[in-house]
Amino acid sequence: MQACAENLDGKSCTVITNSIHSADLLSNHTAVQIRLLGGKVDKEQRYVYGTSVIETLSHYYVDKAFIGIGGITMDGFSASEEEGKIKHQMMKAAKKVVVLADQSKFDRRYGYRFADWSLVDVLITDHWPTKEWLVFLAEQQVEILIPEPTDDKEL
């Protein structure tokens, strides 16, 4: 999610987030309007959760939802229950859902399954997945994007 926030530089948009870290990063971009959702604070993970967050999200219509994923399997997406409920609500509110998952998230499962592939339009990841995953994503009609590495990230 950090890379997503950093790449909004200069783009005029409104971002709705429950991530304190993302809101902090985005506060440096003058063209970005930030709506930080209110609720209980997870101090360790730096995000806001709870029924008030889900209730507020249920009233929004959004063009694109960028969803960071904890675990991704062919059965769907998983996270903690608190995170999962929020992510699911945002996915339901969006016209287009973009999942952000590096290769370490593939075939990883947490205790709470919050969504399946029917809600996803695009997957952005850092490496090409296995052939089995490529076939699966094609069957699900999910577009896959892998950003080109930039020179400043190569050491």
Side-chain angles (χ1 to χ4, degrees):
M1 290 302 295
Q2 180 174 338
C4 183
E6 290 169 351
N7 283 301
L8 285 177
D9 193 22
K11 295 178 178 72
S12 178
C13 64
T14 300
V15 174
I16 303 163
T17 186
N18 69 321
S19 168
I20 297 166
H21 182 67
S22 292
D24 186 40
L25 284 173
L26 292 167
S27 68
N28 297 318
H29 304 299
T30 56
V32 176
Q33 297 291 317
I34 305 162
R35 307 261 165 127
L36 181 61
L37 300 167
K40 298 176 188 173
V41 175
D42 182 308
K43 293 177 184 177
E44 184 179 324
Q45 299 297 318
R46 295 193 52 168
Y47 73 91
V48 180
Y49 67 97
T51 55
S52 61
V53 174
I54 296 166
E55 170 65 23
T56 301
L57 281 174
S58 73
H59 296 285
Y60 278 104
Y61 296 112
V62 298
D63 292 324
K64 293 179 187 168
F66 292 88
I67 308 291
I69 297 297
I72 177 174
T73 66
M74 291 182 191
D75 292 333
F77 306 96
S78 60
S80 70
E81 184 173 356
E82 293 84 12
E83 282 182 289
K85 288 179 178 180
I86 294 165
K87 291 173 190 286
H88 180 76
Q89 186 63 48
M90 184 54 80
M91 292 169 96
K92 288 185 353 182
K95 289 181 189 173
K96 186 172 190 173
V97 174
V98 179
V99 167
L100 308 168
D102 65 50
Q103 73 177 28
S104 71
K105 310 297 182 179
F106 282 79
D107 299 314
R108 189 173 181 183
R109 186 181 312 243
Y110 288 92
Y112 186 80
R113 183 176 162 272
F114 65 87
D116 61 32
W117 287 95
S118 66
L119 295 175
V120 178
D121 300 293
V122 179
L123 170 66
I124 299 177
T125 187
D126 58 345
H127 290 88
W128 284 104
T130 64
K131 184 176 181 176
E132 180 183 20
W133 268 101
L134 291 173
V135 169
F136 175 78
L137 293 169
E139 290 170 353
Q140 300 300 310
Q141 299 178 350
V142 172
E143 179 183 3
I144 183 167
L145 299 175
I146 301 171
E148 292 291 324
T150 58
D151 292 335
D152 63 335
K153 292 185 181 176
E154 295 177 357
L155 299 177

